[in-house]
Amino acid sequence: MSAETPVVSNFLRNIIDADLAANKFASRRWGGGPGDAASHAAGVADPAKIRTRFPPEPNGYLHVGHAKSICLNFGLARDYDGVCHMRFDDTNPEKEDQEYVDSILDAIQWLGFGWDKFGQSHLYHASDYFGFMFRAAEYLIEAGHAYVDQQTAEEMRVNRGDFTTPGKDSPFRNRPAAESLALFHEMRDGKHPDGSMVVRAKIDMASPNINMRDPAIYRIRHAEHHRTGNQWCVYPMYTFAHPIEDALEQITHSICTLEFEDQRPFYDWLLARLAEGGLLADPLPHQYEFARLNLTYVITSKRKLMQLVNEKYVEGWDDPRMPTIVGLRRRGFTPEAIQLFCERIGVTKSDTWIDYSVLEGALRDDLEEKAARAMVVLDPLKLKLTNWDTLFGANHAEPCSAPVHPHHEEMGKREFNLTREVWIEREDFQEVPEKGFRRLFPDNMARLKYGYVIKCTGCEKDAEGNVTAVLAEIVPDTKSGTPGADSVKVKGVITWVSASEGLSAEVRLYDRLFTEAQPDAGGRNFLEVLNPDSKRVVTAYVEPGLAQTTAGTSFQFERHGYFVADRKECGADRLVFNRTVTLKDSWGK
RNA sequence: AGGGGAGUCGCCAAGUUGGUUAAGGCAUCGGAUUUUGAUUCCGACAUGCGAAGGUUCGAAUCCUUCUUCCCCUGCCA
């Protein structure tokens, strides 16, 4: 898909182009896997022109916002003959779980990306670097760049100062390195309870950048880690761990979101210190920040998504209304549509809102090309062909044929029968037509798609005056595909399903989850603007050929939109379809 | 208030060593095609680049001032 989509320049591509042009990475070595300066020095010239990484914390499900980052990082690596490392940033044992690891890996592969490149897998875990990180912290302490602080969390907070007030040095700040080192070892050995002490980088308590006011780099957590078990009771903080992870993996461009901009000075400070100590070597990785995705009508906060699931506003993480990758997938999104969306929105440093319709547009553009067509009636009203018996005989079934895809003959034909009674959409009949209406109304002609032109003669009503059936006559010799098909010109085309041969199916009509473009704008509780009609379930009639539908297959239900056979509940015994997105409708329903 | 960022068409977004008519996409609006009011195809769509000054033969690009919005005071990431 990217072959036909011209690549649009962005600030990251410009940076990479400049780096490459300057031969900035010419001396890079690759030790065959993540490692310190010595191990890479002993390796080979790095076969990867650049290295990026996608580093989720395995504490939740991936969503459309992550998709932007995934497409960016894996996409750049692909385009520049580099590699993107799949890395779990699992430095907080209390929040993480293997279940999330599995779902994340699955989501990325589904999106169309992988981490095997240059003959090896690049699936990494921050927890594999705990040993090095511990050594790095020891080095920092020994070199006078870090210390063990025994202030309480509250004392630390107060002494950090605020935006206008410089912080105050901790009373432990200048304790001898040997004392800090001994305490750090005691921390590791489980001699101290959670929260009793912490290792802090020694930088500048008066820095205007609060992240430089002696940030905590190691804390005590007597917790079982999903990968390292009980091997450790001290764990590195993100601030400290992330730059090291990047360096050990020889990442060239460490791309993260805007809120980490203030963290970059520490990122550079840390790597420079470790390079001084010989633990790391140039060229060191650099951090670049881009604006995360803001999508209207969508919420991506982990906490809020969790709330939607836990409080049953939706039916799980893979509910088709959820912006999670599993939700989008079940809704009928394709990986290509999501990739197209990411290409269209671009990458910048300006914090913007993308309208939900852009996502829908990309989806339609992808599905239009590949979805098989089918005729389905979602809101059935019976149509009686009153001259059927005299024309064909009551029990006759008239075979009709239609292309699987109007622009792709090679996809073949589908066959179904026209019978004396068919289902049509209730909205396709108006006893008194509104201006511009071209479908069925008394004395008007329209075509039953792929069948005959019919002339509406009236309707039947119940005691309350509700229309219960539409009456029409077939106009002879107008069957689609026959020489006389165009002898009568009509403006309206009606989709239909044989009343006697059509199959019934459960169809879920999904709509956006919220009624406001920015559900949590201005501190509003997003639950107050949940769309009560985000899911409507109808029993529809579908053409007989859909009987053998495979779960996960996408269709265009003609004149309605794109639908997908639900991957969990659609089976041979029960047809279940999810509406992925409607067709564009310039007439307005 | 201190620090860090961002403001180019309705929504995104190229363009920044200053130099012809400010890319492109989405949306929108015309028109053609169409057995999906879909698709497709043609065409239209910023004398303007947050604002005001200034430098210059020439500025979205340089300078000055102003303005709006976003992020930062977890032993989360």
Side-chain angles (χ1 to χ4, degrees):
Chain A
M1 73 237 85
S2 54
E4 60 205 42
T5 315
V7 173
V8 175
S9 174
N10 63 47
F11 76 101
L12 290 169
R13 287 178 181 274
N14 291 342
I15 287 168
I16 295 172
D17 288 339
D19 287 345
L20 260 20
N23 241 287
K24 203 170 155 186
F25 308 130
S27 64
R28 293 175 63 253
R29 315 285 300 173
W30 176 243
D36 60 13
S39 99
H40 282 117
V44 301
D46 194 339
K49 297 279 191 304
I50 63 168
R51 287 183 188 264
T52 57
R53 99 271 93 112
F54 177 65
E57 181 185 17
N59 71 342
Y61 286 84
L62 259 29
H63 54 65
V64 64
H66 293 111
K68 178 179 180 182
S69 177
I70 291 166
C71 290
L72 210 212
N73 280 294
F74 283 94
L76 286 174
R78 173 195 62 211
D79 295 348
Y80 283 91
D81 193 24
V83 53
C84 177
H85 294 187
M86 174 61 228
R87 177 167 83 218
F88 286 101
D89 205 356
D90 52 355
T91 57
N92 185 348
E94 291 172 327
K95 292 181 160 189
E96 298 151 7
D97 197 276
Q98 187 62 34
E99 173 198 349
Y100 297 122
V101 170
D102 298 338
S103 80
I104 288 169
L105 256 21
D106 188 56
I108 293 168
Q109 293 184 108
W110 177 75
L111 272 174
F113 300 103
W115 40 88
D116 286 354
K117 190 81 180 276
F118 302 116
Q120 66 175 290
S121 165
H122 296 281
L123 170 60
Y124 302 121
H125 300 262
S127 52
D128 286 339
Y129 314 146
F130 284 167
F132 179 90
M133 289 175 187
F134 190 85
R135 269 201 286 138
E138 286 179 316
Y139 165 75
L140 251 29
I141 291 171
E142 287 163 358
H145 295 311
Y147 59 99
V148 170
D149 194 352
Q150 292 176 85
Q151 292 182 104
T152 63
E154 175 62 13
E155 286 166 340
M156 275 183 62
R157 189 185 63 74
V158 170
N159 288 335
R160 188 154 30 232
D162 59 31
F163 296 144
T164 48
T165 319
K168 292 195 188 75
D169 286 1
S170 163
F172 303 99
R173 195 172 199 263
N174 293 312
R175 75 193 328 164
E179 188 179 314
S180 280
L181 193 59
L183 284 170
F184 185 37
H185 289 161
E186 289 180 19
M187 285 167 64
R188 174 199 59 193
D189 296 337
K191 303 226 169 90
H192 299 282
D194 288 7
S196 57
M197 54 185 72
V198 76
V199 181
R200 287 230 255 172
K202 190 190 288 186
I203 308 178
D204 178 10
M205 287 306 291
S207 172
N209 180 349
I210 291 178
N211 294 295
M212 297 298 267
R213 320 244 263 228
D214 290 12
I217 61 175
Y218 249 102
R219 67 322 196 160
I220 303 172
R221 280 289 176 280
H222 291 271
E224 183 168 322
H225 187 280
H226 69 101
R227 293 191 78 246
T228 59
N230 294 303
Q231 187 185 347
W232 298 91
C233 63
V234 288
Y235 292 92
M237 300 287 292
Y238 164 86
T239 309
F240 176 74
H242 209 88
I244 292 178
E245 294 159 25
D246 288 339
L248 294 179
E249 294 178 19
Q250 293 284 80
I251 298 302
T252 55
H253 303 267
S254 179
I255 302 165
C256 61
T257 45
L258 254 25
E259 67 269 28
F260 293 101
E261 280 178 319
D262 292 342
Q263 213 102 64
R264 193 171 62 232
F266 179 77
Y267 186 105
D268 293 336
W269 178 91
L270 209 215
L271 295 186
R273 296 295 79 72
L274 297 180
E276 283 169 5
L279 307 199
L280 301 175
D282 283 318
L284 295 167
H286 285 277
Q287 174 183 302
Y288 302 95
E289 310 85 13
F290 73 101
R292 62 155 18 99
L293 171 67
N294 295 305
L295 233 203
T296 60
Y297 299 99
V298 168
I299 257 175
T300 50
S301 146
K302 257 176 205 171
R303 199 206 95 229
K304 289 171 183 166
L305 290 176
M306 178 91 71
Q307 196 177 351
L308 289 173
V309 173
N310 290 345
E311 297 174 16
K312 308 272 197 274
Y313 293 103
V314 295
E315 298 156 37
W317 288 101
D318 64 348
D319 184 296
R321 291 164 294 183
M322 289 285 276
T324 49
I325 303 299
V326 283
L328 294 172
R329 178 182 182 184
R330 197 165 168 210
R331 176 71 170 263
F333 275 78
T334 57
E336 293 79 9
I338 294 173
Q339 289 188 29
L340 178 60
F341 168 70
C342 290
E343 283 162 17
R344 284 183 178 174
I345 61 177
V347 179
T348 64
K349 296 186 70 127
S350 49
D351 194 15
T352 56
W353 282 82
I354 305 295
D355 198 276
Y356 189 76
S357 61
V358 177
L359 217 208
E360 293 182 320
L363 222 205
R364 289 192 189 103
D365 287 353
D366 186 56
L367 257 16
E368 153 63 27
E369 268 300 299
K370 42 176 97 143
R373 311 288 135 125
M375 285 208 289
V376 171
V377 174
L378 298 173
D379 184 14
L381 174 62
K382 190 158 283 182
L383 171 72
K384 297 179 176 175
L385 298 167
T386 55
N387 60 344
W388 184 273
D389 296 4
T390 52
L391 237 40
F392 303 115
N395 295 322
H396 176 71
E398 178 72 9
C400 300
S401 148
V404 170
H405 192 295
H407 306 314
H408 295 292
E409 211 173 304
E410 72 283 3
M411 289 173 76
K413 294 277 193 194
R414 54 201 160 101
E415 315 290 336
F416 41 81
N417 293 327
L418 179 62
T419 53
R420 66 199 297 270
E421 293 191 347
V422 301
W423 296 113
I424 62 169
E425 291 297 334
R426 186 162 289 275
E427 66 173 20
D428 284 345
F429 173 76
Q430 290 185 4
E431 190 173 17
V432 181
E434 65 183 290
K435 193 170 186 300
F437 188 72
R438 1 173 144 147
R439 279 106 89 156
L440 294 174
F441 54 89
D443 291 327
N444 192 47
M445 290 196 291
R447 175 177 293 279
L448 287 179
K449 196 169 188 191
Y450 310 122
Y452 285 86
V453 171
I454 59 172
K455 180 173 187 175
C456 180
T457 55
C459 62
E460 294 175 353
K461 297 182 186 176
D462 62 15
E464 282 84 52
N466 300 311
V467 175
T468 53
V470 177
L471 304 175
E473 292 175 346
I474 284 187
V475 178
D477 303 322
T478 56
K479 191 180 175 192
S480 295
T482 66
D486 294 325
S487 60
V488 178
K489 298 283 185 198
V490 293
K491 278 186 285 197
V493 179
I494 307 298
T495 43
W496 54 275
V497 171
S498 163
S500 56
E501 299 186 13
L503 272 24
S504 69
E506 176 177 329
V507 176
R508 294 151 180 180
L509 303 175
Y510 291 109
D511 199 353
R512 41 194 68 169
L513 238 195
F514 299 97
T515 55
E516 294 289 332
Q518 297 182 18
D520 46 11
R524 170 176 49 210
N525 179 356
F526 68 108
L527 296 175
E528 288 169 12
V529 291
L530 271 170
N531 177 5
D533 298 319
S534 61
K535 178 184 183 183
R536 258 175 58 222
V537 181
V538 299
T539 299
Y541 292 104
V542 309
E543 63 176 69
L546 259 43
Q548 315 311 331
T549 299
T550 318
T553 306
S554 286
F555 293 93
Q556 184 199 93
F557 289 174
E558 299 195 51
R559 303 200 305 137
H560 290 300
Y562 298 96
F563 293 73
V564 66
D566 189 81
R567 57 181 63 247
K568 269 188 170 172
E569 296 171 46
C570 186
D573 53 329
R574 184 162 79 111
L575 291 174
V576 181
F577 295 95
N578 300 328
R579 181 167 70 195
T580 306
V581 63
T582 60
L583 246 32
K584 196 155 83 179
D585 182 3
S586 57
W587 196 59
K589 284 186 176 172

